[in-house]
Each structure stands twice: as C-alpha cells, then as structure tokens.
Amino acid sequence: MRAIRAIAVNTFREAVRNKILYSLVFFALVMMLFSLVLDQATVGQRNKIIKDLGLGSINIFGVIIAIVVGINLVYKEIEKRTIYPILAKPVRRSQFLIGKYFGILLTLAVETLFMSAFLFLLVFFYEGVFDTHLPLALFMIFIELAVVSAVAIFFSSFSTPFLSGMFTFAIYVIGHLTTYLQEFGANSGSAILKALTTFFYYMLPNLERFNLKAEAVYQIPVESAKIYLSLLYAFLYIVMVLTLSVLSFERRDFK
Amino acid sequence: MFDKFSPKTKKVVLIIGVVLPLFFTQAYLQQPLNAYKVNQREDFLYLPSGDYLKPLALGYNQVVADLLWIKTVHYFGSHFTTDKEYPWLHHILSIIIDLDPQFDFPYYFGGIVLSMEADQKDRANDILARGMEAYPEKWEYPFYIGFNHYYHDGNPAAALPFIEKAAALPKVPEFVKSLVGTLYLETGKKETALQFFRKIYENTSDDLVREKISMKVEKILSEEVNHDIRD
Amino acid sequence: MTSAIEIKGLSKTFRSEFLQKEKKVLSNLNLSVESGTIFGFLGPNGAGKTTTIKLLTGLIHPTSGTAFIFGKSIREIVSREKMGFLPERPYFYEYLTGLEFLNFCGELFGLSRSSRDKKIDELLELVDLKGSEKMQMRQYSKGMLQRIGLAQALFNDPELVIMDEPMSGLDPVGRKEVRDIILHLKDEGKTVFFSTHILSDAELICDEVAILIGGTLRNQGKLEDFLNPKVKSIEVCLRGVSKEQLSQIKPMLSSMTFHDERILVCLDREERLEKLLAWVAQEKAQVISITPRKETLEDLFLEEYKVGVKA
Ligand SMILES: Nc1ncnc2c1ncn2[C@@H]1O[C@H](COP(=O)(O)OP(=O)(O)OP(=O)(O)O)[C@@H](O)[C@H]1O
Ligand SMILES: [Mg+2]
C-alpha cells in the first residue's frame, strides 16, 4: 500500500514538474476567457456560452492531459530504465501500475479542480451567484477522465505511446457514439454490422453516460440513481481495464 | 502466496475470476442506465450554432458534420418511432450545413422530411434555399421548394418562380417542365401556358410527350371555348 | 546453509517483435553463489550478463529454468526483499533531487519517515554524495548517478547486492571507492554479485568468479583455485650485452625485445633464471630488473574466449 502511494505521489510530482501540463492548462484558461468575448457577441441567453465553453474546455483539455500523461507514464519508465530499481525492490508490477494510475488520477483531479475554480469565478463574476449545477457535471467529467486514463494505461502497458495515443483517442471518440452505432447496426439489416456494433457497445466505455454538461447548463435535475449507476459502471469498467493492463504488463520483458 | 502459482495459472484465474465477471456486470449495467433516457432536446440545444462550432471544429468540419449527421439520423429515427415531433431537426441540420455546405444529403433530407413528416414547411424551405446556394445547378432544390408551396399551402403563385427556375436547370426531367405550364394555367396566365406548351412540343422528339401535350393543349382550348360559350 | 543465489538451468530466448526471429541469449545456466562472498560475473560484451541479472531481479522472465535467492524462487516477490540492485548505466528520475529519490525508495520499502531520514543520511555518507543531495538528478555526472544508484540499492540493508557493471564509466578514484564499498559490504557479511569486464577490478576483490561466453557458462570457481598460483613467466631486463652474445643462449629464451642498449628477455621456466644470471655475470652484463609474471584473470579470460569462439 505504501509502495502504491509512493509511486502515485511520484507520478504526480513528475506531471507537475512537466511543462506540457502547464501549457495545456493555460490553453484551457485562454479558451474560457475567450468565451467572455463570444458571450458579448451572442444574443439571447447570456452565460450559456461561458458555461458551454468552460465545461467543454475542462473536458477536452482534461482528456488531452489524460491521454498525453497516460500513454507516456509507463513507456517513459521503461524507455529510460527508471522502472528497474523499482521492480527490483519488493514491489509488484501490479502495484506499480496501480500506483501510476492513482498518480494520474491525482494529477487530473488537481487540474480539474483548478480549472473548475476558474470557471466558477467566471460564472460568479457574470451571474453574481455560485452555480450549484456545475459541480455535478464537473465531477462526472473527472469520472470520464478516470475511464479514459485507464484506457490509456491499458494500451501503454503493451504498446508505444504513438499507437496508444491513437487507440485511446479513437476509443474516446467512439466511446461517445456507441449508443448511436449500436442502433445504427441493429437497424442496418447486416448481421456482421450488427454483431460488430453490439460488440463495441459492450466492450468500449459508453462515455456519454458521464456527460451531464447539458443538464448543468440548462439546470435540469438529474436522478441520483442515474449518478450512482454511472459511478458503479465507471468503477467496474476501470477495474476491468486495469486488471487487463496488469495481465499484459506482468508478461512483459523490460528491454 | 499468489506468486506460487505459475504465471499461466495466475492469468487464467484472473481472467475467469475477475475480468469476465467485471465485463458481464458492466455490460449488464447498460440496461438500467438506458432507462434514464438522455433528453434529446437539451442534447441538441447544447450545440452552439454552426458559427461557433466552426472554429472549434479545428478544420475537421467535415468530420464533425459527419458525426452530427449520425446524430441527426438517430434523432429522426428515435422520434419517428415515438412522438413524431422534431423540434431540433432544423437546428442540427443547419449546423451540419454550416460546417459542410457541400454535403448534399442533408438538403434533400431536410427538404423532404421537415415538410412532409415534421410539418415545418418554412424550415424545410430554408434548408432547401441554402441547398440552392451551395448547388445552383441542381434542379431538385428549387423544385422541392415550389412543390412545398404548391402542395403544402396550395399556393401556385408562390410555387411558380421556383418551378420555373428548376425547369431551366440542366438534367431536369420533362414533367417539371410541364408542371410549369400547369402552374401558369392555375395562376390564370393561359396565354403563357399555351406558348410554353407549344415550345416544349417543338423542342421534344419524344412522341409520348408530344401526345400528352397536345391532349393538354386541346383540353385548355376546349375549356376556353366552353368558357366563351358560358359567358 | 542456503546459497545466496542458486541458478538452475536458466535459459532465455528473445523473440524479435516483427519477424519473430528467435535469439538464444542464455542457455542452461547453472550457478551457485555462496552467501558472504564477493562473486564476479565475467564475460565479454553481449555474453548475457545483463540478461542473467535482469532474470534474477524479475525484470524479464525466463524461457525455461529458474533461480532462487536465499531459497526463494525469483517468481515470488519475497525473493526481492533481501536484495539490492544497481542497474547497468543507472538512470533515475531526472526531475527528482537525489534526496527526493532516496526518500521515494524508502517509501517503496514502506519505511517510516524517521527511519528513512536516518538511513538516507547514512547512505549519503557511505557513497560520498553529501552536499549534492539537493541537486536534481538531471545534473548528476555519471559517477554521481552510479553513487546514488548504489545508495538506493543498499536502502533495505540487503543481504545480497546485485550490481551490473558497477565500475564502468568511473575514473580510477571512483572505481577504488566502489571496490571499497563492496569490500565493506563483505565485511558486514553481505553477498555481492557483480558483473564486469574490468578484469583487474574483479581480480582485486572477488572470492569467486564465473565466466560467461556467448550465453553459456565457461568456468566457475574460487579465484585462488582458478588461477595457477605458479609463476607463468619471468621477464628480465638486461644492459651491456650484444645481439651476438645473446644468440649463444637463444634456446633458453622464449622471447627477446631490444630497446636501444636495453634488452628485455622472457623465460618461461623458473629454473632457467639461475642459468641466465650465471651467464650474465660471466658476460659482465648488468641486470636492470627481474619481473615474475603470474597468470592473470585476463589470460584465463582470453583463453576461455578463444575456446568459446572456436566452439
Ligand atoms: N530485449 C532483447 N531483445 C533481443 N536481444 C537482446 C535483448 N536484450 C539483450 N539481447 C541480446 O542478448 C545478448 C546478451 O545481452 P546482454 O545485455 O545480456 O549482454 P552483456 O553480457 O550484459 O553485455 P555487456 O557487457 O555489453 O553489457 C546480446 O547479444 C544482446 O543483443
Ligand atoms: Mg550488460
């Protein structure tokens, strides 16, 4: 347990000392500020653009950070041989991988919190009240990031960063479309297409489950049972993906 | 302790004991989660208009348009089988058009579905008008607009300029041309109608068309005679 | 008493990623390292030393065979509890300071803050890195990386320390310091297993050596049994004799080399020295030096290497 914590904290430290993270966060903040300009240009519902773009930026930059950090995490350790002294100690490979995962979660949590605080301030500055609908959507964005980074770790447990990045991004995109794809496949009349889309539907993460941005912007109440189910779903999916990652990571020879 | 097993045993145990149960449970969870229907309305309302989306598409306008197109078809399908209400169809179609004006299917889809199925004739015509901008050489778009005016509103006067426009475009089928004549008649421009039919008659070598037109012209003329007699 | 390391029929075949071409790097290695010894693992480049060490530390998996560390199979995580490992050309998180890194290692072992601090202080002293511990490791020199590597390997007071080329890339002072640390570990009753191709270093400190060539073990034994303790040859440096004079006793000499008026002759049997000296006195020449040459690890190594290449 101590080992996992040490690895997680060290992973966080590495991410925090990396300049890429800051530039991404900086971009996200710029996007949010840009929404102020756009808001001036729209007629009708004010603040909508600020919240839209704010939630959108936090989400997409979070995904980029999750992927960029996630795919490099394991690979860099092997490439630079920094993993050698760790695994030669009584530290399991599974502990290493899980520590890495918690490290990236910690990084994403801090980053999401930071950007959320910024968004809150912007909205507060505009509306004069604290928006109580935003936190749930932001929390679910974090859950989505947790799923995406588990997928990134899975790919990087056996593949190069480039390929892992491609795969993870593809899964991120398809993960938002699985419901449509499944219906499309079911209605297409082609048995192969149907089988394929059904397979995707159950195998890939259904990331739309964590998308509560519209609910936040339009202040639509969300059933708490839905939230709990989604959280359970995310948890099971993450554990499954991490177990698979550990399985492939255990087998590996470090060159 | 677990280390004492061979790596292979460990793997099998983990897959059967952990991965598979997790897989089936998470797959099963899709069902109760589906019970919470995503509200389509808000889902689309969330989309900013095409003008805002365009810079955000980062140049992947076509890809974003394609993704939205998949969403549109899904939206249409799910409402077609349920409430037959399509409040957001026009909104999302116009975003797709903003993003990718050369993507021609949304024009047909919007033009026909919005007017016939969704009963939103003006919105249909708006989509079609944008189709005319993007593809000025296609006869279908002005034809559909005219068609919408004529059949939906029973307004031949509004339909006429569009059908006329369609009839003048390349590859237009003959029936559109004769429809122009019919519209002239219906708007009371009998002389123009006759002239128009005569022109088609002279320009075509198709015997069937000639026969039909001569029948039409005869009918018009006889009606005229009857008219005169009655007067 | 159980051996510190017991290797049984260890083999490793690498498979290249694309063509699936197989490459046998280690075949049927059997080796036993008694605890309390300094064991030198020798072999030319590409012999499979690093591969063996990676197998022992669990970084790669054997194709067949197994090994035990103090009786615990290398497959079990507990086999690494009494082990310390210094990798080849060590490289550590460059964004950490030496201090942070050692602290991290202590955390991996689950040590409390106070015991970590105490141990770190002790280790920094031992590897002589006091004063550089607050520097980021990206600024460390090769020698400093080797030292911090040594420090992290010793964090858990291991009974067995495995080092891959601990002296490579170090200057003579650095090498001496590493040798001293190894000897110090032996004094504490620890076992040290290290690979090297710097033979003189091995010769100076090893109790036992093994020679690995082309993935097969060529020789293993106590250094003193290993090297012929008898004098192998004697070199005598003479002055004041001419070539012509020397040619009288030519059959006695195994070689002659001329440097201006000095002549270096080589005898391959000890008893010939007396005769030579008598002859020198008779010819009124001068003896400048007499150097007996014993067999070195290098000779043995080269010999094994020749056989290995032929085989
Ligand atoms: N991951 C790998 N894939 C394929 N071949 C490998 C791999 N690792 C090592 N080898 C090959 O195995 C052989 C032994 O390598 P190893 O690193 O064990 O040698 P070594 O004795 O440590 O050599 P050196 O003294 O140069 O460090 C080499 O021929 C090397 O090319
Ligand atoms: Mg080596």
Side-chain angles (χ1 to χ4, degrees):
Chain A
M1 221 48 236
R2 282 255 182 109
I4 293 180
R5 203 181 65 189
I7 290 167
V9 170
N10 188 48
T11 305
F12 174 68
R13 194 152 33 188
E14 175 178 6
V16 169
R17 292 183 187 180
N18 191 338
K19 287 191 194 79
I20 295 177
L21 190 76
Y22 291 105
S23 29
L24 285 173
V25 171
F26 176 74
F27 267 123
L29 298 185
V30 169
M31 286 287 282
M32 289 192 216
L33 284 176
F34 179 60
S35 70
L36 293 182
V37 182
L38 283 185
D39 193 69
Q40 299 293 323
T42 34
V43 277
Q45 203 176 359
R46 298 188 56 92
N47 311 327
K48 173 180 180 311
I49 298 249
I50 296 178
K51 290 181 199 170
D52 279 351
L53 264 179
L55 287 170
S57 310
I58 292 174
N59 197 340
I60 191 71
F61 282 97
V63 167
I64 294 174
I65 291 172
I67 294 181
V68 168
V69 178
I71 57 176
N72 279 310
L73 272 184
V74 178
Y75 182 81
K76 253 202 334 233
E77 295 259 356
I78 298 169
E79 194 60 8
K80 296 201 161 174
R81 294 180 289 118
T82 46
I83 195 174
Y84 286 16
I86 298 177
L87 293 188
K89 294 184 171 55
V91 175
R92 285 171 199 283
R93 290 187 182 194
S94 50
Q95 289 177 315
F96 176 81
L97 215 58
I98 292 165
K100 284 270 147 194
Y101 181 66
F102 282 126
I104 193 173
L105 279 195
L106 190 59
T107 312
L108 289 169
V110 169
E111 171 259 340
T112 311
L113 273 178
F114 177 73
M115 295 207 282
S116 302
F118 192 78
L119 178 62
F120 266 106
L121 281 180
L122 273 189
V123 173
F124 179 70
F125 171 69
Y126 252 69
E127 284 185 336
V129 285
F130 279 111
D131 190 315
T132 49
H133 283 80
L134 286 178
L136 181 62
L138 287 164
F139 176 65
M140 289 313 257
I141 287 178
F142 174 69
I143 299 298
E144 180 184 13
L145 300 184
V147 174
V148 172
S149 40
V151 171
I153 287 208
F154 169 68
F155 284 117
S156 70
S157 71
F158 60 84
S159 178
T160 62
F162 179 73
L163 286 179
S164 313
M166 299 292 273
F167 287 141
T168 312
F169 187 69
I171 286 193
Y172 170 71
V173 172
I174 302 172
H176 278 280
L177 298 171
T178 50
T179 306
Y180 304 117
L181 288 180
Q182 196 223 9
E183 285 178 23
F184 171 70
N187 298 330
S188 70
S190 151
I192 301 171
L193 210 57
K194 187 177 172 189
L196 198 70
T197 50
T198 308
F199 173 75
F200 274 166
Y201 180 69
Y202 289 118
M203 198 66 223
L204 301 184
N206 191 336
L207 297 175
E208 272 298 315
R209 304 275 188 232
F210 314 116
N211 183 4
L212 295 183
K213 293 194 284 282
E215 282 78 353
V217 173
Y218 295 104
Q219 321 223 316
I220 302 158
V222 186
E223 297 95 327
S224 51
K226 182 187 173 184
I227 305 291
Y228 296 136
L229 270 180
S230 306
L231 289 180
L232 178 63
Y233 170 61
F235 176 74
L236 293 178
Y237 197 88
I238 290 169
V239 176
M240 174 178 83
V241 170
L242 287 182
T243 312
L244 285 171
S245 316
V246 167
L247 277 172
S248 89
F249 196 58
E250 288 278 1
R251 286 199 356 248
R252 268 187 87 158
D253 279 349
F254 299 121
K255 56 164 199 74
Chain B
M1 208 185 72
F2 202 47
D3 291 341
K4 292 231 161 56
F5 297 116
S6 80
K8 221 181 210 150
T9 318
K10 255 203 260 188
K11 197 165 146 184
V12 171
V13 167
L14 271 178
I15 287 182
I16 295 179
V18 179
V19 176
L20 286 182
L22 280 170
F23 175 76
F24 287 115
T25 322
Q26 65 88 21
Y28 174 76
L29 272 186
Q30 299 291 335
Q31 230 176 327
L33 275 168
N34 277 338
Y36 301 96
K37 198 122 183 56
V38 179
N39 200 327
Q40 294 294 347
R41 208 181 70 114
E42 283 75 30
D43 206 6
F44 285 116
L45 189 59
Y46 180 66
L47 274 179
S49 78
D51 289 339
Y52 292 120
L53 209 57
K54 225 172 187 167
L56 297 181
L58 305 173
Y60 296 98
N61 299 7
Q62 286 76 11
V63 179
V64 176
D66 291 349
L67 293 178
L68 286 174
W69 176 244
I70 296 175
K71 258 188 143 138
T72 312
V73 174
H74 170 80
Y75 174 78
F76 175 72
S78 60
H79 286 267
F80 185 73
T81 50
T82 55
D83 59 3
K84 299 215 172 236
E85 296 281 340
Y86 311 92
W88 293 100
L89 194 57
H90 174 260
H91 178 58
I92 189 167
L93 280 171
S94 53
I95 293 172
I96 295 174
I97 292 169
D98 281 341
L99 284 170
D100 189 2
Q102 299 304 306
F103 187 13
D104 61 351
F105 205 74
Y107 298 122
Y108 293 104
F109 183 83
I112 295 172
V113 168
L114 279 172
S115 97
M116 308 290 273
E117 171 65 26
D119 211 23
Q120 301 173 14
K121 185 211 70 183
D122 293 334
R123 286 174 164 181
N125 286 351
D126 172 58
I127 298 284
L128 288 166
R130 300 185 58 184
M132 281 169 67
E133 274 171 44
Y135 288 98
E137 78 287 357
K138 284 204 176 181
W139 64 269
E140 287 95 335
Y141 304 142
F143 172 74
Y144 290 148
I145 297 182
F147 178 87
N148 283 340
H149 283 303
Y150 188 51
Y151 281 99
H152 223 279
D153 296 354
N155 184 351
L160 185 57
F162 292 99
I163 302 292
E164 245 181 328
K165 192 166 190 175
L169 289 169
K171 290 192 202 153
V172 63
E174 295 292 345
F175 81 87
V176 177
K177 293 184 183 166
S178 57
L179 185 60
V180 178
T182 313
L183 284 174
Y184 280 139
L185 271 183
E186 294 204 6
T187 49
K189 298 174 185 162
K190 209 174 285 172
E191 271 315 301
T192 328
L194 283 173
Q195 267 173 24
F196 189 78
F197 280 129
R198 207 162 290 139
K199 209 163 85 195
I200 302 177
Y201 188 87
E202 281 159 12
N203 286 342
T204 186
S205 53
D206 190 330
D207 286 339
L208 197 71
V209 174
R210 278 170 176 248
E211 198 181 316
K212 273 195 171 165
I213 288 183
S214 53
M215 269 165 64
K216 252 191 185 158
V217 170
E218 264 168 39
K219 200 169 159 221
I220 297 170
L221 290 175
S222 68
E223 270 172 14
E224 200 171 5
V225 171
N226 288 344
H227 231 94
D228 289 349
I229 293 170
R230 244 186 283 137
D231 278 349
Chain C
M1 199 178 106
T2 50
S3 320
I5 304 178
E6 187 76 52
I7 299 178
K8 286 190 173 149
L10 209 55
S11 299
K12 180 70 192 175
T13 303
F14 283 113
R15 208 168 262 121
S16 71
E17 248 167 59
F18 290 110
L19 299 169
Q20 294 284 299
K21 236 172 75 183
E22 295 200 343
K23 184 172 182 192
K24 191 149 195 171
V25 169
L26 205 61
S27 47
N28 194 26
L29 179 68
N30 290 291
L31 196 68
S32 159
V33 176
E34 264 175 51
S35 56
T37 54
I38 300 178
F39 195 100
F41 195 42
L42 316 178
N45 291 129
K49 303 182 296 291
T50 300
T51 304
T52 310
I53 288 176
K54 278 185 181 173
L55 285 165
L56 291 177
T57 48
L59 295 171
I60 58 179
H61 305 296
T63 310
S64 64
T66 184
F68 299 88
I69 309 287
F70 295 112
K72 300 274 188 339
S73 162
I74 49 170
R75 218 156 64 192
E76 293 174 50
I77 199 85
V78 285
S79 69
R80 269 159 250 155
E81 269 166 13
K82 291 185 193 167
M83 183 205 278
F85 171 49
L86 170 66
E88 191 177 20
R89 292 175 285 118
Y91 189 85
F92 308 107
Y93 302 107
E94 54 179 32
Y95 53 89
L96 292 185
T97 67
L99 191 65
E100 286 170 331
F101 176 61
L102 289 180
N103 194 45
F104 169 64
C105 291
E107 283 172 347
L108 288 181
F109 286 115
L111 298 177
S112 69
R113 159 126 257 150
S114 56
S115 47
R116 285 201 307 262
D117 288 347
K118 195 165 146 269
K119 190 72 200 171
I120 289 171
D121 201 54
E122 206 179 301
L123 287 169
L124 286 172
E125 193 74 54
L126 178 73
V127 301
D128 199 16
L129 268 181
K130 270 272 164 72
S132 318
E133 74 268 28
K134 297 235 167 78
M135 255 160 83
Q136 277 198 337
M137 285 191 287
R138 70 174 90 237
Q139 298 161 340
Y140 275 22
S141 72
K142 223 191 247 173
M144 289 161 89
L145 283 173
Q146 202 84 24
R147 286 159 203 261
I148 196 93
L150 216 48
Q152 64 83 26
L154 301 177
F155 211 106
N156 55 336
D157 276 321
E159 289 301 312
L160 166 70
V161 186
I162 296 180
M163 307 178 181
D164 198 357
E165 313 254 1
M167 292 151 206
S168 81
L170 296 184
D171 60 19
V173 179
R175 271 156 60 187
K176 164 134 190 357
E177 282 172 0
V178 171
R179 284 200 307 263
D180 288 347
I181 290 174
I182 293 177
L183 289 171
H184 167 80
L185 288 170
K186 182 191 155 96
D187 286 344
E188 290 186 338
K190 312 274 161 79
T191 314
V192 180
F193 179 89
F194 72 98
S195 79
T196 185
H197 37 219
I198 303 175
L199 299 169
S200 54
D201 285 328
E203 208 169 325
L204 280 172
I205 54 173
C206 286
D207 300 312
E208 238 181 285
V209 295
I211 297 179
L212 188 73
I213 292 171
T216 28
L217 189 66
R218 304 293 316 178
N219 218 328
Q220 182 202 351
K222 294 236 182 312
L223 199 60
E224 64 260 29
D225 306 341
F226 219 11
L227 300 176
N228 200 338
K230 280 190 294 181
V231 172
K232 198 180 167 200
S233 63
I234 301 170
E235 285 173 358
V236 184
C237 194
L238 304 172
R239 191 155 60 188
V241 281
S242 68
K243 250 188 202 173
E244 292 72 38
Q245 282 170 299
L246 264 180
S247 60
Q248 299 167 2
I249 53 160
K250 203 174 177 186
M252 220 167 77
L253 310 171
S254 57
S255 75
M256 309 186 266
T257 329
F258 298 89
H259 296 285
D260 302 330
E261 76 253 47
R262 279 188 296 170
I263 300 167
L264 187 70
V265 300
C266 204
L267 307 168
D268 54 7
R269 271 190 243 154
E270 244 175 311
E271 59 270 20
R272 287 185 175 162
L273 182 63
E274 246 173 89
K275 281 189 194 163
L276 180 73
L277 292 178
W279 180 80
V280 168
Q282 179 197 320
E283 298 289 319
K284 297 209 166 49
Q286 275 175 285
V287 175
I288 296 173
S289 67
I290 301 174
T291 321
R293 294 217 74 103
K294 288 191 185 166
E295 183 172 36
T296 63
L297 206 46
E298 194 161 334
D299 299 319
L300 184 78
F301 189 84
L302 289 174
E303 221 166 89
E304 289 291 350
Y305 188 65
K306 272 182 222 148
V307 179
V309 167
K310 256 183 238 155

